[in-house]
Amino acid sequence: MTAVGELGAVAKRLRRLEKWWRPSEVGGIQQCLEEADALPERKAQAREAHRAAQDELALLRPDGTPNTQSRWRELQGTVTAQAKVLRELDTEESALLTALSVELWHARTRGWNEGVARINATEATQH
């Protein structure tokens, strides 16, 4: 699966500019792109686990038995844990978007500078 949304768009543009990536950042960029590609599936799994626990919790009827109380605590813990995971994944997405946007800027700048240098070299040989 590949990254979607704004993160996916930035990742796609950055991949097209690979020849202008900063050499010192290639490993980090590749790692960020892999994480961005894996993020949609991780979010989908967390959303599904969160939803499933919420659905089961909604069906649980308080009957005062220790088993029901125990199951309620377990499900409530799962709902809370998955909500936390979803918030953490949102934070990770934001961090990846920031990191990849920075690298996109550098790649675009390097590509532009290379184009300007090529034009200047062509003009210098024509005069």
Side-chain angles (χ1 to χ4, degrees):
M1 181 172 267
T2 58
V4 295
E6 187 178 2
L7 178 60
V10 168
K12 183 178 179 179
R13 287 193 307 267
L14 184 58
R15 282 185 171 102
R16 288 194 308 250
L17 299 173
E18 184 175 0
K19 71 180 182 178
W20 292 297
W21 291 359
R22 297 182 296 166
S24 63
E25 301 302 320
V26 168
I29 293 169
Q30 289 171 334
Q31 181 179 349
C32 285
L33 289 171
E34 289 170 11
E35 290 175 16
D37 287 344
L39 196 59
E41 179 61 27
R42 291 174 59 206
K43 288 179 91 170
Q45 289 173 355
R47 275 192 303 274
E48 176 56 27
H50 185 253
R51 188 202 53 76
Q54 284 180 316
D55 290 350
E56 192 174 341
L57 190 59
L59 296 174
L60 194 63
R61 296 292 170 235
D63 60 10
T65 64
N67 284 343
T68 300
Q69 288 296 98
S70 177
R71 186 66 182 144
W72 180 87
R73 281 190 296 277
E74 180 184 327
L75 289 169
Q76 191 60 49
T78 300
V79 167
T80 302
Q82 291 305 315
K84 181 181 179 203
V85 167
L86 287 167
R87 284 190 309 275
E88 290 169 348
L89 290 172
D90 285 344
T91 299
E92 183 178 336
E93 182 175 15
S94 179
L96 286 168
L97 179 59
T98 299
L100 293 176
S101 293
V102 166
E103 292 307 324
L104 177 61
W105 175 256
H106 283 288
R108 291 175 62 202
T109 300
R110 288 170 58 96
W112 184 81
N113 287 341
E114 185 179 294
V116 169
R118 190 172 43 253
I119 290 167
N120 288 341
T122 302
E123 287 181 359
T125 58
Q126 292 175 351
H127 295 292

